[in-house]
Amino acid sequence: MIDKAKLSITHSLSGKNVLVTGTTGFVGKVIVEKLLRDIPDIGGIYLLIRGNKNYPDANERFVHEIACSSIFDRLKAGGELGFQQLCNHKIHCITGEVTESQFGLEGEQFKSLAKKVDVVINSAASVNFREALDQALSINALCLYNTVVFSKLAGQIPVLQVSTCYVNGFNQGDMYEENVKPFSNLIPINKDGYYELDALLDDLQGKISKLKKRYSGDVLENKLIDLGIAESNRYGWNDTYTFTKWMGEQILRKELQGTSLTILRPAIVESALIGPSPGWIEGVKVADAILMAYAREKVVFFPGDPNGIVDIIPVDLVANSIVVSVAELLKKQLKNQIKSQNKHRVYQCCSSGVNPVKIRQLIKFTQQEADKNHLKHDRLFCRKPKRPFIMVSKKLFLAMMNAVKLPVVGINKISKLFGGDAQGKMLENLDTAMKLSTVFSFYTQPSYIFHNDKLMELHNQLSEADRAMFPVDATLIDWEEYIRNTHIPGLNQYALKERKPPTQITEQAQCNIKAA
């Protein structure tokens, strides 16, 4: 018997059709797996998938780039045939593109899809911190006008937007689950509490247009990247990704007035804590780029605050937060329990407010694992790192880099005159450190704490069984256990390829070399 006072995940999603975008991405795959595995009575999962050069059809791309992922290994444990039958029954692939009008669909197909769908989960995004501004605007902001049209077409379909905690930009201190005021005062807000983006978007697109008239190719792309960073910094954000994600939130808030909308903001998303497989991850994420550079001995010092509290959240807790929020959206939509002005909610999926971990602790755990078990993680570590990883201030980092790089460049130029490359490896490592610092140093000098009281309040409305099946609480994380026994092994197993054995020169080849 369902306790009607509680929010029931299975009851809210039973028979419902969910449209999910961004399912070729990291978080998107985990959302699909969770819905398939733990919501057996869900009506259907509609996936809007853009065709590509290799797989122009959505079904083809689903088979070759999504269904083959190791995230589904638990579902395949009963046999590949059973998994295929489950997908055939529940998954409906739509070849389309979120950035195109009507998702790139024919009019009737677009209307038909809108009539079938009960809720939209938009996890499509460009997560490149240094994306060309036109591309970042398109995928992270402007495409949401298409989502608005879709929502309104069939009577205000509720929308869940996957955003990021880092829309808080250059703001500092405690960050709560509310609309973000920009660090700068350059974007006006109207009397109804909505930020006016029209002038901002016109200005940005005008600057993009001017660059496109003057440049082309790689030069144009670099100019658009630089423009994106410059405009982001001017308005109060570190990078193009977080700036355009903030704009996306504002577009939905204003255009979906009177429609149920939830903005779900994860912090830095990393490998799974619990399921479907602890440590599961796809690709190299924010924190991993620096970890790998240390493991490969390319970087031994980096700009950052060792006492800064970094906010990492496992991907399964993010997916669970999304599913719980969707269940609430559907329940509210069904019962019409809330007034128009209360139909917009913001939840943050994060750890720093309830289970903070300092950067120096993460470094310590990583170095301990490298010292004791580097051989177990053979894809990650070439060998036991010889030097410790050190955090320094950004000012000191830049001074050290310049002091080291200038003589190395000089020596390397002289060496090349004589056919050598005396300091090539060191120069490559210095370039790696500089590139990483350009992209990630903002995230290694955190000046804020993210709070998720509202998400936890929502989670507490679940039954005990649902809370156990859909955990979102970051206090479950034991940071040393997670880093050493879950994340690093997961990174080694799932994200990295096996190393090729060193080339062996045969005796005959050696003889041939000597003879020559």
Side-chain angles (χ1 to χ4, degrees), residues 192-255:
D192 296 318
Y194 297 105
Y195 285 96
E196 298 289 357
L197 297 189
D198 291 348
L200 171 62
L201 290 172
D202 286 345
D203 180 57
L204 294 177
Q205 289 174 320
K207 290 176 179 177
I208 290 168
S209 180
K210 287 181 181 178
L211 288 178
K212 288 184 175 181
K213 289 177 181 178
R214 293 183 61 188
Y215 305 100
S216 61
D218 292 343
V219 174
L220 173 61
E221 183 174 3
N222 289 330
K223 291 286 185 182
L224 289 171
I225 291 171
D226 291 342
L227 176 65
I229 296 299
E231 293 298 312
S232 300
N233 294 169
R234 184 161 79 93
Y235 284 102
W237 284 268
N238 175 70
D239 48 63
T240 316
Y241 167 62
T242 51
F243 182 33
T244 54
K245 290 296 284 186
W246 177 85
M247 283 190 271
E249 288 191 10
Q250 304 313 309
I251 288 169
L252 290 177
R253 289 186 73 252
K254 184 176 181 181
E255 299 298 325

Side-chain angles (χ1 to χ4, degrees), residues 217-417:
D218 292 343
V219 174
L220 173 61
E221 183 174 3
N222 289 330
K223 291 286 185 182
L224 289 171
I225 291 171
D226 291 342
L227 176 65
I229 296 299
E231 293 298 312
S232 300
N233 294 169
R234 184 161 79 93
Y235 284 102
W237 284 268
N238 175 70
D239 48 63
T240 316
Y241 167 62
T242 51
F243 182 33
T244 54
K245 290 296 284 186
W246 177 85
M247 283 190 271
E249 288 191 10
Q250 304 313 309
I251 288 169
L252 290 177
R253 289 186 73 252
K254 184 176 181 181
E255 299 298 325
L256 290 181
Q257 297 178 51
T259 300
S260 292
L261 166 69
T262 295
I263 295 169
L264 193 286
R265 298 177 186 150
I268 297 172
V269 186
E270 288 289 353
S271 61
L273 176 69
I274 301 168
S277 178
W280 187 85
I281 191 170
E282 183 178 68
V284 176
K285 308 306 171 191
V286 173
D288 304 324
I290 302 170
L291 188 158
M292 283 186 64
Y294 161 71
R296 304 284 169 83
E297 298 183 282
K298 292 181 178 292
V299 174
V300 293
F301 63 95
F302 198 79
D305 177 6
N307 290 312
I309 295 172
V310 64
D311 202 306
I312 290 173
I313 193 75
V315 68
D316 50 336
L317 301 193
V318 176
N320 291 336
S321 300
I322 290 168
V323 174
V324 172
S325 300
V326 166
E328 181 195 33
L329 277 172
L330 290 169
K331 181 180 179 182
K332 299 291 187 183
Q333 184 81 355
L334 179 66
K335 294 181 176 289
N336 196 25
Q337 294 177 340
I338 46 180
K339 296 180 181 179
S340 172
Q341 62 267 30
N342 295 326
K343 286 191 174 184
H344 293 178
R345 290 165 293 280
V346 176
Y347 296 127
Q348 293 183 159
C349 189
C350 48
S351 61
S352 56
V354 293
N355 188 11
V357 61
K358 294 182 178 180
I359 292 175
R360 61 177 171 80
Q361 292 176 280
L362 298 182
I363 293 172
K364 175 186 174 183
F365 300 148
T366 300
Q367 290 183 162
Q368 287 175 338
E369 188 62 17
D371 289 344
K372 293 184 179 180
N373 297 311
H374 62 278
L375 293 175
K376 286 171 56 178
H377 315 302
D378 57 328
R379 300 181 187 182
L380 178 60
F381 296 98
C382 301
R383 61 186 180 185
K384 179 180 175 179
K386 293 181 178 180
R387 289 174 289 179
F389 187 80
I390 301 170
M391 281 279 180
V392 298
S393 70
K394 190 167 186 178
K395 184 176 180 180
L396 179 58
F397 172 82
L398 293 174
M400 292 170 68
M401 292 298 290
N402 290 328
V404 173
K405 189 170 183 178
L406 286 175
V408 171
V409 170
I411 293 170
N412 205 51
K413 285 181 178 179
I414 295 170
S415 175
K416 285 183 176 180
L417 291 175

Side-chain angles (χ1 to χ4, degrees), residues 4-146:
K4 294 184 179 180
K6 295 285 186 180
L7 172 62
S8 167
I9 304 293
T10 53
H11 181 69
S12 292
L13 284 164
S14 179
K16 300 298 184 182
N17 293 322
V18 181
L19 175 67
V20 189
T21 69
T23 51
T24 57
F26 176 44
V27 173
K29 287 188 180 74
V30 184
I31 295 170
V32 173
E33 193 277 341
K34 189 70 178 179
L35 293 173
L36 282 174
R37 179 162 54 89
D38 289 334
I39 315 291
D41 293 330
I42 195 167
I45 305 169
Y46 289 78
L47 309 182
L48 186 69
I49 303 173
R50 174 177 55 84
N52 60 18
K53 182 178 179 181
N54 294 326
Y55 309 109
D57 177 75
N59 281 292
E60 287 182 304
R61 197 172 179 197
F62 173 77
V63 170
H64 293 284
E65 294 187 4
I66 300 175
C68 60
S69 171
S70 55
I71 188 67
F72 298 107
D73 284 354
R74 187 168 167 183
L75 280 168
K76 295 175 184 177
E80 188 75 33
L81 180 60
F83 176 69
Q84 290 178 2
Q85 290 175 338
L86 176 64
C87 289
N88 290 340
H89 182 53
K90 296 293 184 180
I91 299 290
H92 308 276
C93 298
I94 312 295
T95 305
E97 170 57 70
V98 292
T99 62
E100 294 182 13
S101 175
Q102 296 188 150
F103 297 155
L105 307 177
E106 296 294 333
E108 288 305 314
Q109 187 183 12
F110 187 67
K111 292 177 183 177
S112 175
L113 179 62
K115 291 177 181 178
K116 294 174 183 174
V117 169
D118 297 295
V119 64
V120 176
I121 301 174
N122 181 45
S123 67
S126 169
V127 296
N128 182 355
F129 294 161
R130 294 179 65 81
E131 181 71 271
L133 181 57
D134 58 337
Q135 294 299 313
L137 274 175
S138 177
I139 189 69
N140 293 337
L142 298 178
C143 74
L144 294 172
Y145 287 112
N146 301 327

